[in-house]
Amino acid sequence: MLNAPLSIDVRRGAVAALGELLADRRIVTEGRVAIAVGPGQGDQIAEQVRPSLSACDLFQVEGGTVDAAVALASKLRAGSYEAVVGIGGGRTIDATKYAATLSGIPMVSVATNLSHDGICSPVASLVHDGGKGSFGVVMPLAMIVDLDYVHAAPARLIRAGVGDVVSNFSAVEDWLLASEQCGERVDRMALTVARTAAEALLHQPGSIEDDRFLTVLAESLVLSGMSMAFAGDSRPASGGDHEILHAIDQLYPDTANHGELAGIGAAFCYHLRATRLGDGAERLREILGCLGRHGLPRLPGDIGLSVEQFTEAVLLAPQTRPGRYTILEHLSLDKGEARKAVEEYVQAHGG
C-alpha cells in the first residue's frame, strides 16, 4: 500500500485547487470528504476550501498523539467518508495519516509549513503514554503545499525542514555502512532518491523568503518521504542522526524541533566519520555551512544542551532504534569516548 502520490502541487494559491483535486475519481466518487484541521492556519484554509466541497465535515485534531488519531479514525469510520484531507503542520498531518490508515481510506495532505518530511511519508511520529513513537502508515494519495501559507508560518518551522533534508546524507551513509558490515540489503532506488533530495537542497541559493527555494525544499521533503516508501521503512532518511534526535527528545523534551535536532545529529555523525573513520570531512563542512547559512543550530549549546547532556544523548541514541546499525553502533563509544568526541566537535566547530 506504499504507493507514490498521484498529485503533488507546490505553488502560491495551490489550496484553491483542492476542490478540483478531490473531483478526481481516483480519490473520491461520491464526494463525501472529511477535513481534519489543526490549530492556527488549518481553520482558515478549511473555511477557504469548504464552499468548493459539496459534502464535507470538519474535525479538529487535538495534537499529534495516538489518542487524537484514534479518535479521528473512529469519526471517519462512523461517517463512511471516502477520503480525509489533513490540513496543518506536521503533527496534524501525522495524526491524520494514522487515522486514515486505521480507517482504510485515502488521505490528502495540505501542508501549512515545511518543517520535516512527514508531510509526505509512510511514517507518522505520534506521542503516546510511553513517549513518542514512529508508526507505519499509508502515504498521502495527493498533497498540496500552498506557498502563501508557508510564508505565513513561523520561520523557525520552515528552516527546520532544511535540517531534516540534509540529514539524509548521514542516513544514507549509515545504510551503506550497515550493508558493508552486516550484509543489510540496500534499496538503490530509495537510496538515490534520498540522496538526490539532500543534494538538491544543499547548495540551493536563496533563503526561506524565496518561492524558488521553498519549492525546492518542498520537493526535497516529498522525495524524502517517497524514498521511505520505496524502502518500506525510514532507513534512507533516518540513521544515527535521528537516533540522537530521539534520544534528546526522550531525555530533554521540547529542547528543539525535529528538523533542528536532525541537522545537529547529522553534523555530529559526520564528525565521527571524519575523525574516527577518516572519511566525510568535506561533507561535514558542507552540512555545517548549510545549517549556518539558514540560521539553524549546529552545536549542543545552540539548543541549550551542555557537553554532558549531549554526551548522554549520544550514549542513549542506539537504544532508540534497536536493530538499526549506524555509525553509533559501529563505533560503540563508551562514556569517556563519547564525551571526548562531543568535546572535539564543539571545539572544532564552535568558532
Side-chain angles (χ1 to χ4, degrees):
M1 296 182 72
L2 295 174
N3 52 313
L6 62 86
S7 176
I8 301 171
D9 195 354
V10 182
R11 58 186 168 89
R12 288 183 179 267
V15 162
L18 181 58
E20 179 182 340
L21 172 64
L22 292 177
D24 189 326
R25 295 182 70 85
R26 291 174 295 178
I27 301 176
V28 297
T29 56
E30 302 297 327
R32 187 161 176 75
V33 176
I35 298 179
V37 300
Q41 294 177 325
D43 288 320
Q44 179 185 352
I45 298 177
E47 290 306 313
Q48 178 184 342
V49 303
R50 213 168 186 175
S52 64
L53 303 176
S54 57
C56 68
D57 294 317
L58 185 67
F59 299 105
Q60 291 281 346
V61 179
E62 301 298 330
T65 67
V66 171
D67 288 343
V70 170
L72 176 59
S74 178
K75 295 172 183 175
L76 295 178
R77 287 193 296 268
S80 299
Y81 297 101
E82 293 183 90
V84 58
V85 180
I87 302 176
R91 293 178 181 178
T92 302
I93 298 297
D94 277 357
T96 306
K97 284 192 296 186
Y98 191 59
T101 301
L102 292 177
S103 306
I105 62 175
M107 182 260 188
V108 174
S109 171
V110 180
T112 58
N113 67 56
L114 300 174
S115 60
H116 61 76
D117 55 23
I119 62 174
C120 183
S121 77
V123 178
S125 180
L126 299 170
V127 176
H128 52 82
D129 291 341
K132 181 180 285 188
S134 296
F135 301 85
V137 295
V138 177
M139 286 182 70
L141 190 58
M143 70 169 299
I144 289 175
V145 178
D146 192 319
L147 297 182
D148 289 322
Y149 287 97
V150 173
H151 278 294
R156 182 183 176 192
L157 292 181
I158 306 171
R159 293 190 186 100
V162 176
D164 203 22
V165 171
V166 299
S167 73
N168 286 8
F169 287 123
S170 175
V172 163
E173 290 298 333
D174 281 336
W175 202 5
L176 292 172
L177 181 65
S179 175
E180 176 187 317
Q181 297 294 320
C182 310
E184 184 173 331
R185 176 182 172 274
V186 171
D187 184 312
R188 287 286 169 176
M189 174 64 78
L191 184 149
T192 299
V193 171
R195 182 184 282 154
T196 298
E199 289 284 4
L201 190 68
L202 186 64
H203 300 296
Q204 180 65 27
S207 70
I208 63 170
E209 304 299 323
D210 306 324
D211 281 3
R212 181 173 180 177
F213 180 85
L214 290 179
T215 299
V216 173
L217 174 57
E219 291 169 347
S220 293
L221 291 169
V222 170
L223 286 175
S224 289
M226 292 178 67
S227 74
M228 289 184 269
F230 293 144
D233 60 26
S234 63
R235 196 47 152 137
S238 174
D241 44 276
H242 275 58
E243 290 183 336
I244 293 173
L245 178 163
H246 294 305
I248 293 174
D249 271 344
Q250 288 184 31
L251 293 171
Y252 316 107
D254 302 319
T255 296
N257 63 40
H258 182 100
E260 290 171 336
L261 295 178
I264 292 177
F268 180 72
C269 286
Y270 265 104
H271 169 77
L272 291 178
R273 289 180 176 282
T275 57
R276 271 55 178 183
L277 303 184
D279 180 49
E282 178 59 23
R283 182 66 80 191
L284 171 60
R285 184 190 66 78
E286 292 176 332
I287 289 174
L288 288 171
C290 181
L291 297 179
R293 191 163 64 252
H294 293 289
L296 284 159
R298 307 192 307 171
L299 302 169
D302 295 338
I303 55 173
L305 295 182
S306 66
V307 167
E308 291 76 12
Q309 289 172 318
F310 196 79
T311 299
E312 289 302 314
V314 171
L315 292 170
L316 176 64
Q319 300 175 39
T320 67
R321 286 292 181 272
R324 182 154 292 188
Y325 193 87
T326 76
I327 186 68
L328 300 178
E329 287 78 10
H330 182 67
L331 295 177
S332 189
L333 303 174
D334 62 27
K335 187 170 184 177
E337 293 169 333
R339 181 185 174 87
K340 180 180 179 182
V342 175
E343 289 176 338
E344 290 172 348
Y345 175 70
V346 171
Q347 292 169 2
H349 308 291

mmCIF file of all heavy atoms in Angstrom, residues 300-338:
data_model
loop_
_atom_site.group_PDB
_atom_site.id
_atom_site.type_symbol
_atom_site.label_atom_id
_atom_site.label_comp_id
_atom_site.label_asym_id
_atom_site.label_seq_id
_atom_site.Cartn_x
_atom_site.Cartn_y
_atom_site.Cartn_z
ATOM 1 N N PRO A 300 25.575 21.704 20.385
ATOM 2 C CA PRO A 300 24.692 21.444 21.524
ATOM 3 C C PRO A 300 24.277 22.725 22.260
ATOM 4 O O PRO A 300 23.113 22.875 22.634
ATOM 5 C CB PRO A 300 25.549 20.541 22.421
ATOM 6 C CG PRO A 300 26.454 19.831 21.474
ATOM 7 C CD PRO A 300 26.772 20.842 20.396
ATOM 8 N N GLY A 301 25.222 23.625 22.441
ATOM 9 C CA GLY A 301 24.906 24.865 23.148
ATOM 10 C C GLY A 301 23.875 25.717 22.436
ATOM 11 O O GLY A 301 23.158 26.505 23.076
ATOM 12 N N ASP A 302 23.769 25.560 21.123
ATOM 13 C CA ASP A 302 22.785 26.337 20.366
ATOM 14 C C ASP A 302 21.357 25.952 20.719
ATOM 15 O O ASP A 302 20.417 26.717 20.474
ATOM 16 C CB ASP A 302 22.996 26.145 18.861
ATOM 17 C CG ASP A 302 24.327 26.690 18.377
ATOM 18 O OD1 ASP A 302 24.897 27.557 19.061
ATOM 19 O OD2 ASP A 302 24.791 26.251 17.302
ATOM 20 N N ILE A 303 21.173 24.742 21.248
ATOM 21 C CA ILE A 303 19.836 24.321 21.665
ATOM 22 C C ILE A 303 19.754 24.172 23.185
ATOM 23 O O ILE A 303 18.841 23.527 23.711
ATOM 24 C CB ILE A 303 19.439 22.990 20.990
ATOM 25 C CG1 ILE A 303 20.476 21.903 21.252
ATOM 26 C CG2 ILE A 303 19.248 23.196 19.489
ATOM 27 C CD1 ILE A 303 20.065 20.529 20.752
ATOM 28 N N GLY A 304 20.724 24.772 23.880
ATOM 29 C CA GLY A 304 20.688 24.803 25.333
ATOM 30 C C GLY A 304 21.171 23.553 26.033
ATOM 31 O O GLY A 304 20.896 23.357 27.222
ATOM 32 N N LEU A 305 21.917 22.704 25.341
ATOM 33 C CA LEU A 305 22.443 21.489 25.959
ATOM 34 C C LEU A 305 23.927 21.638 26.258
ATOM 35 O O LEU A 305 24.681 22.184 25.447
ATOM 36 C CB LEU A 305 22.232 20.273 25.055
ATOM 37 C CG LEU A 305 20.789 19.845 24.769
ATOM 38 C CD1 LEU A 305 20.779 18.584 23.905
ATOM 39 C CD2 LEU A 305 20.013 19.619 26.055
ATOM 40 N N SER A 306 24.349 21.132 27.397
ATOM 41 C CA SER A 306 25.762 21.113 27.749
ATOM 42 C C SER A 306 26.449 19.932 27.070
ATOM 43 O O SER A 306 25.797 19.044 26.504
ATOM 44 C CB SER A 306 25.917 20.986 29.268
ATOM 45 O OG SER A 306 25.435 19.722 29.706
ATOM 46 N N VAL A 307 27.779 19.918 27.148
ATOM 47 C CA VAL A 307 28.538 18.780 26.624
ATOM 48 C C VAL A 307 28.093 17.493 27.312
ATOM 49 O O VAL A 307 27.922 16.446 26.668
ATOM 50 C CB VAL A 307 30.054 19.010 26.814
ATOM 51 C CG1 VAL A 307 30.834 17.725 26.567
ATOM 52 C CG2 VAL A 307 30.549 20.105 25.882
ATOM 53 N N GLU A 308 27.884 17.564 28.627
ATOM 54 C CA GLU A 308 27.468 16.383 29.378
ATOM 55 C C GLU A 308 26.108 15.879 28.910
ATOM 56 O O GLU A 308 25.889 14.668 28.743
ATOM 57 C CB GLU A 308 27.411 16.699 30.875
ATOM 58 C CG GLU A 308 28.750 16.950 31.535
ATOM 59 C CD GLU A 308 29.325 18.335 31.224
ATOM 60 O OE1 GLU A 308 28.569 19.188 30.677
ATOM 61 O OE2 GLU A 308 30.516 18.554 31.489
ATOM 62 N N GLN A 309 25.163 16.793 28.693
ATOM 63 C CA GLN A 309 23.824 16.395 28.275
ATOM 64 C C GLN A 309 23.834 15.789 26.873
ATOM 65 O O GLN A 309 23.183 14.775 26.619
ATOM 66 C CB GLN A 309 22.883 17.603 28.325
ATOM 67 C CG GLN A 309 22.543 18.058 29.739
ATOM 68 C CD GLN A 309 21.766 19.352 29.746
ATOM 69 O OE1 GLN A 309 22.071 20.288 28.991
ATOM 70 N NE2 GLN A 309 20.746 19.424 30.593
ATOM 71 N N PHE A 310 24.575 16.404 25.964
ATOM 72 C CA PHE A 310 24.640 15.865 24.604
ATOM 73 C C PHE A 310 25.327 14.506 24.603
ATOM 74 O O PHE A 310 24.939 13.601 23.860
ATOM 75 C CB PHE A 310 25.376 16.834 23.689
ATOM 76 C CG PHE A 310 25.164 16.562 22.218
ATOM 77 C CD1 PHE A 310 24.004 16.970 21.583
ATOM 78 C CD2 PHE A 310 26.122 15.883 21.468
ATOM 79 C CE1 PHE A 310 23.793 16.711 20.232
ATOM 80 C CE2 PHE A 310 25.929 15.619 20.127
ATOM 81 C CZ PHE A 310 24.750 16.034 19.499
ATOM 82 N N THR A 311 26.328 14.342 25.459
ATOM 83 C CA THR A 311 27.004 13.050 25.594
ATOM 84 C C THR A 311 26.022 11.975 26.042
ATOM 85 O O THR A 311 26.027 10.847 25.509
ATOM 86 C CB THR A 311 28.166 13.141 26.598
ATOM 87 O OG1 THR A 311 29.129 14.090 26.129
ATOM 88 C CG2 THR A 311 28.846 11.787 26.779
ATOM 89 N N GLU A 312 25.172 12.298 27.003
ATOM 90 C CA GLU A 312 24.180 11.333 27.464
ATOM 91 C C GLU A 312 23.236 10.934 26.327
ATOM 92 O O GLU A 312 22.837 9.771 26.206
ATOM 93 C CB GLU A 312 23.373 11.923 28.632
ATOM 94 C CG GLU A 312 24.155 12.043 29.931
ATOM 95 C CD GLU A 312 24.696 10.698 30.411
ATOM 96 O OE1 GLU A 312 23.933 9.704 30.404
ATOM 97 O OE2 GLU A 312 25.889 10.621 30.761
ATOM 98 N N ALA A 313 22.885 11.907 25.485
ATOM 99 C CA ALA A 313 22.011 11.610 24.349
ATOM 100 C C ALA A 313 22.706 10.689 23.351
ATOM 101 O O ALA A 313 22.094 9.760 22.810
ATOM 102 C CB ALA A 313 21.581 12.905 23.672
ATOM 103 N N VAL A 314 23.988 10.931 23.103
ATOM 104 C CA VAL A 314 24.746 10.089 22.175
ATOM 105 C C VAL A 314 24.818 8.657 22.704
ATOM 106 O O VAL A 314 24.710 7.687 21.941
ATOM 107 C CB VAL A 314 26.162 10.662 21.956
ATOM 108 C CG1 VAL A 314 27.038 9.683 21.175
ATOM 109 C CG2 VAL A 314 26.083 11.999 21.223
ATOM 110 N N LEU A 315 24.976 8.496 24.005
ATOM 111 C CA LEU A 315 25.057 7.164 24.603
ATOM 112 C C LEU A 315 23.708 6.436 24.552
ATOM 113 O O LEU A 315 23.646 5.224 24.345
ATOM 114 C CB LEU A 315 25.537 7.263 26.053
ATOM 115 C CG LEU A 315 26.994 7.725 26.237
ATOM 116 C CD1 LEU A 315 27.281 8.013 27.703
ATOM 117 C CD2 LEU A 315 27.952 6.649 25.720
ATOM 118 N N LEU A 316 22.626 7.182 24.734
ATOM 119 C CA LEU A 316 21.294 6.577 24.701
ATOM 120 C C LEU A 316 20.819 6.288 23.277
ATOM 121 O O LEU A 316 20.017 5.365 23.053
ATOM 122 C CB LEU A 316 20.282 7.511 25.384
ATOM 123 C CG LEU A 316 18.810 7.083 25.353
ATOM 124 C CD1 LEU A 316 18.611 5.773 26.120
ATOM 125 C CD2 LEU A 316 17.907 8.186 25.920
ATOM 126 N N ALA A 317 21.334 7.044 22.321
ATOM 127 C CA ALA A 317 20.809 7.027 20.950
ATOM 128 C C ALA A 317 20.616 5.622 20.359
ATOM 129 O O ALA A 317 19.547 5.331 19.805
ATOM 130 C CB ALA A 317 21.704 7.872 20.044
ATOM 131 N N PRO A 318 21.597 4.708 20.441
ATOM 132 C CA PRO A 318 21.411 3.387 19.814
ATOM 133 C C PRO A 318 20.209 2.614 20.362
ATOM 134 O O PRO A 318 19.642 1.775 19.657
ATOM 135 C CB PRO A 318 22.726 2.662 20.119
ATOM 136 C CG PRO A 318 23.727 3.767 20.279
ATOM 137 C CD PRO A 318 22.964 4.866 20.974
ATOM 138 N N GLN A 319 19.807 2.910 21.590
ATOM 139 C CA GLN A 319 18.685 2.192 22.186
ATOM 140 C C GLN A 319 17.341 2.653 21.622
ATOM 141 O O GLN A 319 16.323 1.977 21.811
ATOM 142 C CB GLN A 319 18.686 2.384 23.704
ATOM 143 C CG GLN A 319 19.938 1.870 24.393
ATOM 144 C CD GLN A 319 19.952 2.185 25.878
ATOM 145 O OE1 GLN A 319 18.920 2.111 26.565
ATOM 146 N NE2 GLN A 319 21.114 2.551 26.400
ATOM 147 N N THR A 320 17.329 3.786 20.957
ATOM 148 C CA THR A 320 16.063 4.302 20.437
ATOM 149 C C THR A 320 15.613 3.589 19.174
ATOM 150 O O THR A 320 14.439 3.673 18.798
ATOM 151 C CB THR A 320 16.161 5.813 20.140
ATOM 152 O OG1 THR A 320 17.070 6.036 19.044
ATOM 153 C CG2 THR A 320 16.622 6.585 21.367
ATOM 154 N N ARG A 321 16.519 2.925 18.496
ATOM 155 C CA ARG A 321 16.183 2.174 17.285
ATOM 156 C C ARG A 321 16.874 0.804 17.336
ATOM 157 O O ARG A 321 17.842 0.552 16.623
ATOM 158 C CB ARG A 321 16.628 2.944 16.028
ATOM 159 C CG ARG A 321 15.762 4.130 15.684
ATOM 160 C CD ARG A 321 14.367 3.660 15.240
ATOM 161 N NE ARG A 321 13.508 4.772 14.880
ATOM 162 C CZ ARG A 321 12.745 5.435 15.735
ATOM 163 N NH1 ARG A 321 12.747 5.107 17.012
ATOM 164 N NH2 ARG A 321 11.972 6.419 15.328
ATOM 165 N N PRO A 322 16.391 -0.103 18.189
ATOM 166 C CA PRO A 322 17.018 -1.430 18.301
ATOM 167 C C PRO A 322 17.057 -2.141 16.947
ATOM 168 O O PRO A 322 16.088 -2.132 16.196
ATOM 169 C CB PRO A 322 16.086 -2.166 19.274
ATOM 170 C CG PRO A 322 15.424 -1.087 20.063
ATOM 171 C CD PRO A 322 15.245 0.053 19.104
ATOM 172 N N GLY A 323 18.198 -2.693 16.634
ATOM 173 C CA GLY A 323 18.340 -3.412 15.379
ATOM 174 C C GLY A 323 18.836 -2.570 14.221
ATOM 175 O O GLY A 323 19.187 -3.103 13.172
ATOM 176 N N ARG A 324 18.881 -1.264 14.404
ATOM 177 C CA ARG A 324 19.377 -0.391 13.331
ATOM 178 C C ARG A 324 20.882 -0.194 13.514
ATOM 179 O O ARG A 324 21.333 0.139 14.609
ATOM 180 C CB ARG A 324 18.643 0.941 13.337
ATOM 181 C CG ARG A 324 19.080 1.877 12.203
ATOM 182 C CD ARG A 324 17.997 2.856 11.831
ATOM 183 N NE ARG A 324 16.859 2.187 11.202
ATOM 184 C CZ ARG A 324 15.831 2.820 10.645
ATOM 185 N NH1 ARG A 324 15.785 4.143 10.631
ATOM 186 N NH2 ARG A 324 14.834 2.146 10.100
ATOM 187 N N TYR A 325 21.626 -0.373 12.457
ATOM 188 C CA TYR A 325 23.088 -0.257 12.521
ATOM 189 C C TYR A 325 23.510 1.051 11.876
ATOM 190 O O TYR A 325 23.241 1.311 10.704
ATOM 191 C CB TYR A 325 23.746 -1.428 11.795
ATOM 192 C CG TYR A 325 25.231 -1.572 12.052
ATOM 193 C CD1 TYR A 325 25.696 -2.286 13.145
ATOM 194 C CD2 TYR A 325 26.159 -0.990 11.186
ATOM 195 C CE1 TYR A 325 27.062 -2.427 13.371
ATOM 196 C CE2 TYR A 325 27.521 -1.127 11.405
ATOM 197 C CZ TYR A 325 27.975 -1.841 12.505
ATOM 198 O OH TYR A 325 29.327 -1.977 12.728
ATOM 199 N N THR A 326 24.178 1.903 12.665
ATOM 200 C CA THR A 326 24.640 3.204 12.200
ATOM 201 C C THR A 326 26.078 3.415 12.660
ATOM 202 O O THR A 326 26.686 2.540 13.278
ATOM 203 C CB THR A 326 23.757 4.341 12.750
ATOM 204 O OG1 THR A 326 24.086 4.572 14.141
ATOM 205 C CG2 THR A 326 22.274 4.008 12.650
ATOM 206 N N ILE A 327 26.597 4.580 12.394
ATOM 207 C CA ILE A 327 27.945 4.915 12.844
ATOM 208 C C ILE A 327 28.063 4.806 14.366
ATOM 209 O O ILE A 327 29.121 4.462 14.899
ATOM 210 C CB ILE A 327 28.343 6.343 12.364
ATOM 211 C CG1 ILE A 327 29.796 6.661 12.703
ATOM 212 C CG2 ILE A 327 27.421 7.395 12.952
ATOM 213 C CD1 ILE A 327 30.803 5.841 11.945
ATOM 214 N N LEU A 328 26.968 5.040 15.076
ATOM 215 C CA LEU A 328 26.991 4.972 16.535
ATOM 216 C C LEU A 328 27.159 3.531 17.005
ATOM 217 O O LEU A 328 27.952 3.252 17.921
ATOM 218 C CB LEU A 328 25.711 5.569 17.116
ATOM 219 C CG LEU A 328 25.442 7.040 16.775
ATOM 220 C CD1 LEU A 328 24.113 7.496 17.363
ATOM 221 C CD2 LEU A 328 26.573 7.932 17.267
ATOM 222 N N GLU A 329 26.428 2.597 16.398
ATOM 223 C CA GLU A 329 26.597 1.188 16.745
ATOM 224 C C GLU A 329 27.966 0.683 16.292
ATOM 225 O O GLU A 329 28.597 -0.137 16.974
ATOM 226 C CB GLU A 329 25.491 0.345 16.096
ATOM 227 C CG GLU A 329 24.114 0.490 16.729
ATOM 228 C CD GLU A 329 23.391 1.752 16.316
ATOM 229 O OE1 GLU A 329 23.872 2.455 15.384
ATOM 230 O OE2 GLU A 329 22.337 2.046 16.899
ATOM 231 N N HIS A 330 28.422 1.169 15.148
ATOM 232 C CA HIS A 330 29.708 0.725 14.605
ATOM 233 C C HIS A 330 30.858 1.092 15.535
ATOM 234 O O HIS A 330 31.747 0.259 15.790
ATOM 235 C CB HIS A 330 29.924 1.359 13.238
ATOM 236 C CG HIS A 330 31.183 0.932 12.561
ATOM 237 N ND1 HIS A 330 31.396 -0.346 12.111
ATOM 238 C CD2 HIS A 330 32.324 1.633 12.242
ATOM 239 C CE1 HIS A 330 32.588 -0.432 11.553
ATOM 240 N NE2 HIS A 330 33.176 0.754 11.628
ATOM 241 N N LEU A 331 30.836 2.304 16.058
ATOM 242 C CA LEU A 331 31.928 2.752 16.931
ATOM 243 C C LEU A 331 31.738 2.287 18.366
ATOM 244 O O LEU A 331 32.728 2.104 19.093
ATOM 245 C CB LEU A 331 32.033 4.282 16.896
ATOM 246 C CG LEU A 331 32.429 4.888 15.549
ATOM 247 C CD1 LEU A 331 32.416 6.410 15.629
ATOM 248 C CD2 LEU A 331 33.798 4.400 15.099
ATOM 249 N N SER A 332 30.475 2.109 18.784
ATOM 250 C CA SER A 332 30.155 1.630 20.131
ATOM 251 C C SER A 332 30.961 2.373 21.199
ATOM 252 O O SER A 332 31.711 1.780 21.983
ATOM 253 C CB SER A 332 30.418 0.116 20.227
ATOM 254 O OG SER A 332 29.919 -0.400 21.443
ATOM 255 N N LEU A 333 30.822 3.691 21.220
ATOM 256 C CA LEU A 333 31.593 4.535 22.128
ATOM 257 C C LEU A 333 31.180 4.322 23.581
ATOM 258 O O LEU A 333 29.986 4.230 23.882
ATOM 259 C CB LEU A 333 31.379 6.008 21.768
ATOM 260 C CG LEU A 333 31.727 6.440 20.335
ATOM 261 C CD1 LEU A 333 31.306 7.881 20.110
ATOM 262 C CD2 LEU A 333 33.208 6.260 20.063
ATOM 263 N N ASP A 334 32.164 4.237 24.472
ATOM 264 C CA ASP A 334 31.831 4.240 25.893
ATOM 265 C C ASP A 334 31.684 5.695 26.356
ATOM 266 O O ASP A 334 31.834 6.627 25.553
ATOM 267 C CB ASP A 334 32.866 3.476 26.724
ATOM 268 C CG ASP A 334 34.271 4.092 26.656
ATOM 269 O OD1 ASP A 334 34.396 5.320 26.426
ATOM 270 O OD2 ASP A 334 35.250 3.336 26.836
ATOM 271 N N LYS A 335 31.395 5.893 27.618
ATOM 272 C CA LYS A 335 31.088 7.239 28.090
ATOM 273 C C LYS A 335 32.260 8.191 27.895
ATOM 274 O O LYS A 335 32.087 9.332 27.461
ATOM 275 C CB LYS A 335 30.678 7.204 29.561
ATOM 276 C CG LYS A 335 30.185 8.559 30.073
ATOM 277 C CD LYS A 335 29.567 8.446 31.458
ATOM 278 C CE LYS A 335 28.990 9.787 31.893
ATOM 279 N NZ LYS A 335 28.312 9.700 33.227
ATOM 280 N N GLY A 336 33.466 7.730 28.199
ATOM 281 C CA GLY A 336 34.634 8.586 28.047
ATOM 282 C C GLY A 336 34.898 8.935 26.594
ATOM 283 O O GLY A 336 35.203 10.082 26.261
ATOM 284 N N GLU A 337 34.747 7.945 25.717
ATOM 285 C CA GLU A 337 34.976 8.183 24.293
ATOM 286 C C GLU A 337 33.910 9.111 23.711
ATOM 287 O O GLU A 337 34.211 9.986 22.890
ATOM 288 C CB GLU A 337 34.965 6.849 23.546
ATOM 289 C CG GLU A 337 36.140 5.941 23.891
ATOM 290 C CD GLU A 337 35.960 4.538 23.358
ATOM 291 O OE1 GLU A 337 34.799 4.108 23.183
ATOM 292 O OE2 GLU A 337 36.979 3.851 23.116
ATOM 293 N N ALA A 338 32.669 8.921 24.151
ATOM 294 C CA ALA A 338 31.589 9.767 23.655
ATOM 295 C C ALA A 338 31.783 11.213 24.095
ATOM 296 O O ALA A 338 31.613 12.147 23.302
ATOM 297 C CB ALA A 338 30.245 9.240 24.142
#
